[in-house]
Amino acid sequence: MISQHPDHGSKPYWQKSAFIKTGDEIKECFLSFSELETSEYKWDWEGKYVDESVIEKLLSEHHDYFKKNPLGKEKFLTFRLPNPKVETEFRLGRAFMGILGASGLAKKIGFHSPPLFEVILPMTESAEEMIAIQEAFKEIASLKHVLYDFGEESLKHIEIIPLFEQVTTIIKSDSILEKYLELHQKKFHFKPVYLRPYLARSDPALNSGLVPTVLAIKIGLSHYIEFEKKHNIKLYPIIGSASLPFRGGLTPDTVEQFCREYSGIKTVLIQSAFRYDYEKKSVIKAI
C-alpha cells in the first residue's frame, strides 16, 4: 500500500522538485500503479487538503489503463478518513459523498463498480467507533430526493480498516475486533467476510519506544492467529512503517528481513523514501 506520507530526501523520479504538491498526487497515484506496479494507494483525507475528484480524474485521464486494471478489482484506492474525534465532521461527509459518487460514476461509464469499498479509520480505540462510521455511511447512502437518488443498487456498506496507533491498543486489538464482530452482527445482521487490522509501526515507536512497539505488534499478530481459528474469519494485517530504522527500517534492501521480522503481515505500507531515495529498478523489484 502506497502512502502519501512524505519522508523522502531525493526528487521523485517523475518530477524536478522534491516537494510533491497536492495537484501532483493524482499523477503519483497513477504512476504508483502503472510504473511501480503496486496494487493499493492510500488517499489521505486526514489533516490535509485533498483532491476530491480523484476518481473522475483517474478514470478520465487514464481510461484505457483502468479498463484493463479496474479500480476496486485489480487496483485499489483506499481512503484514509478524517477521524471525527479530531477533525470537523464535514470532511467525513465529503469523503462519504466521494465514495458514493465514485460508485455511481464508475457504473454509469461502464467501469467496475464500486471502485472504492474500504476506508481506514485512524486512531481506532474501540469497536463502537468502527460501527459508528458504517452506520453514518449507510444513512448517507440511503438519502433520497427528487434531485438525487443513489438507487437501491448503490453501495450501502463499507468495510472498515481500523488503524491501531498506540502500543496498548495494538496489544488488545484482537479484543476490539471481537467486540466489533459482535456489534456488526447485531447491527447489520451478517458477519464480515474478512478484516484488515492496520498496526502502526512508526508513530508508536516515537511515542512509546522502539522495543515496546515491536513487541506489541508481535503480540498482536500472534493474537490474530488465534482470532482466525476462534471466529472462522480471515485476517489480513497491515503494518505501517517507514525507512528509518527507528520507524521500521523498511527499504528496498531490507524487504526480506522485514517480512521475516513481522511474519503474518499481508500488506506493507510503502512511504515516499522507499520509492524515491533508491534506484527505480530496485524499488520495483522490492515491491
Side-chain angles (χ1 to χ4, degrees):
M1 179 192 290
I2 296 295
S3 167
Q4 293 175 323
H5 186 88
D7 63 342
H8 59 284
S10 304
K11 298 176 183 178
Y13 68 87
W14 46 270
Q15 69 173 22
K16 296 180 180 180
S17 170
F19 179 68
I20 301 174
K21 300 178 182 178
T22 300
D24 296 325
E25 289 176 344
I26 299 286
K27 181 178 181 179
E28 182 190 50
C29 177
F30 175 68
L31 293 178
S32 296
F33 289 143
S34 62
E35 294 190 6
L36 299 186
E37 301 178 17
T38 56
S39 59
E40 187 171 13
Y41 189 99
K42 179 170 68 173
W43 198 252
D44 203 340
W45 282 74
E46 186 187 24
K48 62 184 284 291
Y49 175 74
V50 63
D51 191 333
E52 300 178 29
S53 59
V54 54
I55 292 296
E56 288 92 332
K57 289 182 178 179
L58 286 175
L59 297 186
S60 63
E61 295 174 11
H62 308 287
H63 178 279
D64 293 344
Y65 178 84
F66 287 110
K67 264 295 188 180
K68 186 177 180 180
N69 303 276
L71 279 171
K73 187 176 182 181
E74 299 293 334
K75 301 293 182 179
F76 301 90
L77 188 71
T78 305
F79 281 7
R80 174 175 168 143
L81 297 178
N83 190 302
K85 293 186 299 185
V86 180
E87 299 192 51
T88 52
E89 66 278 1
F90 70 85
R91 288 176 59 82
L92 181 64
R94 283 158 50 197
F96 284 166
M97 293 302 290
I99 293 170
L100 289 166
S103 177
L105 172 68
K107 185 176 181 180
K108 185 175 182 179
I109 61 178
F111 281 79
H112 173 78
S113 183
L116 311 174
F117 60 90
E118 293 178 318
V119 293
I120 297 167
L121 178 63
M123 296 176 281
T124 300
E125 296 180 335
S126 71
E128 287 78 6
E129 294 174 84
M130 299 166 65
I131 293 294
I133 293 293
Q134 291 178 306
E135 287 179 324
F137 181 83
K138 184 177 181 180
E139 289 183 15
I140 290 179
S142 300
L143 292 175
K144 290 185 179 182
H145 187 273
V146 66
L147 298 180
Y148 61 83
D149 183 354
F150 295 116
E152 293 301 323
E153 297 182 2
S154 68
L155 184 66
K156 302 294 185 186
H157 188 82
I158 51 171
E159 304 299 335
I160 300 291
I161 299 174
L163 172 51
F164 303 115
E165 301 190 56
Q166 298 181 22
V167 164
T168 53
T169 310
I170 291 171
I171 291 174
K172 67 175 183 179
S173 57
D174 62 314
S175 298
I176 296 174
L177 296 179
E178 195 162 45
K179 181 66 174 179
Y180 172 70
L181 288 185
E182 177 188 335
L183 294 176
H184 194 284
Q185 181 68 47
K186 184 177 181 180
K187 180 66 181 179
F188 303 113
H189 309 296
F190 69 93
K191 185 173 74 172
V193 177
Y194 67 93
L195 292 171
R196 297 180 73 193
Y198 183 168
L199 307 179
R201 167 62 181 83
S202 183
D203 286 352
L206 187 64
N207 298 327
S208 301
L210 175 61
V211 174
T213 299
V214 173
L215 291 177
I217 291 174
K218 292 188 176 185
I219 290 170
L221 291 173
S222 179
H223 287 168
Y224 292 164
I225 296 173
E226 298 303 318
F227 185 96
E228 286 186 317
K229 295 177 182 177
K230 180 178 179 181
H231 296 285
N232 192 30
I233 183 172
K234 295 297 294 181
L235 267 61
Y236 301 97
I238 304 168
I239 189 168
S241 59
S243 293
L244 292 176
F246 187 74
R247 289 183 170 270
L250 177 63
T251 73
D253 299 327
T254 63
V255 168
E256 292 185 4
Q257 176 186 339
F258 185 89
C259 291
R260 287 195 300 269
E261 183 73 21
Y262 299 103
S263 179
I265 288 294
K266 301 301 182 183
T267 300
V268 174
L269 197 72
I270 299 177
Q271 293 189 175
S272 61
F274 185 108
R275 309 193 300 274
Y276 304 136
D277 288 348
Y278 298 85
E279 290 291 330
K280 183 181 176 183
K281 287 184 179 180
S282 66
V283 171
I284 294 173
K285 182 180 179 181
I287 290 173

